[in-house]
Amino acid sequence: MITLESDVKEAIDTFGVDQKYSEYTLEDHETWRLATEALEEVLVGHTAVNYKESFVSTGMTKSAIPSLEMVQEALGRWGWSAIVVDGFIPPDIFMLLQANSILPISKPIRSRSQLGYTPIPDIIHEAAGHLPMLHSAEYREFLQRLGELGANTQLNEIDMQLYHAQKHIAELLADEVSDRQILEEATQAVEEAKQIAENSPPSPARRVARFHWWTVEYGLIGPNHKIYGAGLLSSVSEAAKYQEAKHERLSVASSDRGFEIDHIQPIYYVADSWDHLMHELENLEHYIGYA
């Protein structure tokens, strides 16, 4: 992939924000502490990397929200870096940054009432969820290569309609909007967008997004089905019950399955190994005609 440095700079300039670390409140730091202590309790022994070691090695402590400076220093040893963003960013921008070894970390932190699970990207998901796996060289290689593939695809109008509908309802649920009519309209918009998407041939970008979801966000690996997906690594509610859900062996066919971002997942895909994970990514490249 040929990535223009100017494109990456424009993405950082457009979507990067100042973390303004001093604006996090004592309650915010306490929310982080409670969440990460609960995560450690359910994750130790169930992750594809040594959870405690990887948590610390990527610039985090349980006592306080990580600063961008701490994370940058930790990731720099592997040639990675991070930027702070304000919640959702467009999928193509996320992939572009990922392809260039840059992790976007969302600035907001979830409410205490959503400590175990939130449908939006927040700093618990982006930092506590994504960062520990960057300790693994095999994972870093996979993540970057998947980003390169995604950055070479483009979401079509149908894809964007579904993305915006799902984003909107996730934000409403995270804000705990109680207006019944607003929620019903948002739910209807998601259903309509899903129906349109299901009745149209999946674009290459939609297939990459689905594969990304079932691996980077909710993937399991190895004979013991260890967690490497950030959605599970950042959700106490989901991680505590992931072994009870349906598990299927990962294949490129996972890109046929759509996903929803506003609730716990009904299924998880399991890669045999890092080699198998990379092999299925190569299959995806061939499947969508980019190899």
Side-chain angles (χ1 to χ4, degrees), residues 111-160:
S111 67
R112 192 70 61 83
S113 64
Q114 297 182 340
L115 195 66
Y117 172 82
T118 184
I120 63 168
D122 75 326
I123 197 165
I124 294 174
H125 172 75
E126 305 287 9
H130 282 284
L131 280 174
M133 284 310 307
L134 289 177
H135 186 86
S136 165
E138 295 93 341
Y139 177 81
R140 293 196 303 271
E141 180 184 1
F142 168 75
L143 191 65
Q144 184 176 20
R145 187 163 170 183
L146 179 56
E148 290 177 352
L149 181 60
N152 272 306
T153 64
Q154 186 172 4
L155 295 171
N156 62 26
E157 186 176 343
I158 293 172
D159 299 333
M160 291 305 297

Side-chain angles (χ1 to χ4, degrees), residues 1 3 80 95-102 134 137-153 208 211-212 215-216 274-286 288 290-291:
M1 181 185 107
T3 301
W80 276 70
M95 289 289 189
L96 175 65
L97 295 171
Q98 184 175 299
N100 287 274
S101 305
I102 302 169
L134 289 177
E138 295 93 341
Y139 177 81
R140 293 196 303 271
E141 180 184 1
F142 168 75
L143 191 65
Q144 184 176 20
R145 187 163 170 183
L146 179 56
E148 290 177 352
L149 181 60
N152 272 306
T153 64
V208 173
F211 190 79
H212 189 279
T215 57
V216 174
W274 294 118
D275 286 342
H276 176 219
L277 183 62
M278 190 64 78
H279 177 68
E280 293 305 328
L281 175 55
E282 292 169 355
N283 284 342
L284 179 64
E285 291 174 343
H286 286 282
I288 65 176
Y290 277 82

Side-chain angles (χ1 to χ4, degrees), residues 31-63:
T31 297
W32 170 269
R33 185 188 66 79
L34 290 170
T36 54
E37 287 184 351
L39 284 167
E40 182 178 291
E41 189 171 326
V42 299
L43 290 173
V44 168
H46 298 286
T47 57
V49 292
N50 181 304
Y51 182 76
K52 289 185 178 181
E53 178 185 354
S54 300
F55 188 90
V56 174
S57 74
T58 48
M60 296 184 288
T61 68
K62 296 193 296 294
S63 61

Side-chain angles (χ1 to χ4, degrees), residues 14-269:
T14 302
F15 295 98
V17 299
D18 186 345
Q19 188 180 22
K20 296 183 179 178
Y21 190 83
S22 63
E23 293 184 0
Y24 287 119
T25 65
L26 291 176
E27 182 177 352
D28 291 336
H29 288 291
E30 179 68 1
T31 297
W32 170 269
R33 185 188 66 79
L34 290 170
T36 54
E37 287 184 351
L39 284 167
E40 182 178 291
E41 189 171 326
V42 299
L43 290 173
V44 168
H46 298 286
T47 57
V49 292
N50 181 304
Y51 182 76
K52 289 185 178 181
E53 178 185 354
S54 300
F55 188 90
V56 174
S57 74
T58 48
M60 296 184 288
T61 68
K62 296 193 296 294
S63 61
I65 293 169
S67 69
L68 179 61
E69 290 74 20
M70 292 167 59
V71 172
Q72 292 279 41
E73 182 178 354
L75 297 187
R77 79 189 79 168
W78 302 311
W80 276 70
S81 62
I83 65 169
V84 175
V85 298
D86 193 13
F88 284 101
I89 62 173
D92 57 334
I93 299 299
F94 190 95
M95 289 289 189
L96 175 65
L97 295 171
Q98 184 175 299
N100 287 274
S101 305
I102 302 169
L103 180 69
I105 296 179
S106 188
K107 177 182 176 179
I109 188 165
R110 67 193 62 179
S111 67
R112 192 70 61 83
S113 64
Q114 297 182 340
L115 195 66
Y117 172 82
T118 184
I120 63 168
D122 75 326
I123 197 165
I124 294 174
H125 172 75
E126 305 287 9
H130 282 284
L131 280 174
M133 284 310 307
L134 289 177
H135 186 86
S136 165
E138 295 93 341
Y139 177 81
R140 293 196 303 271
E141 180 184 1
F142 168 75
L143 191 65
Q144 184 176 20
R145 187 163 170 183
L146 179 56
E148 290 177 352
L149 181 60
N152 272 306
T153 64
Q154 186 172 4
L155 295 171
N156 62 26
E157 186 176 343
I158 293 172
D159 299 333
M160 291 305 297
Q161 180 181 350
L162 180 58
Y163 163 71
H164 285 297
Q166 291 180 323
K167 174 178 177 289
H168 181 54
I169 195 167
E171 290 172 337
L172 289 176
L173 292 172
D175 287 341
E176 300 177 319
V177 171
S178 58
D179 188 298
R180 183 174 177 180
Q181 182 175 349
I182 292 175
L183 289 174
E184 286 180 353
E185 289 174 353
T187 301
Q188 182 63 31
V190 169
E191 291 304 316
E192 290 175 358
K194 282 171 53 182
Q195 191 65 39
I196 293 171
E198 288 170 2
N199 291 329
S200 67
S203 67
R206 197 186 314 166
R207 289 196 178 279
V208 173
R210 289 171 173 177
F211 190 79
H212 189 279
W213 184 263
W214 297 122
T215 57
V216 174
E217 294 295 345
Y218 287 97
L220 306 175
I221 194 166
N224 295 320
H225 298 195
K226 295 294 183 72
I227 296 169
Y228 71 91
L232 286 166
L233 285 165
S234 59
S235 172
V236 172
S237 299
E238 194 154 7
K241 298 181 178 180
Y242 85 97
Q243 292 172 320
E244 301 172 12
K246 183 179 181 181
H247 293 186
E248 286 189 8
R249 185 172 185 263
L250 178 70
S251 75
V252 71
S254 63
S255 69
D256 292 327
R257 187 185 188 100
F259 60 84
E260 298 175 359
I261 67 176
D262 57 341
H263 58 72
I264 289 175
Q265 303 307 302
I267 186 172
Y268 305 107
Y269 289 93

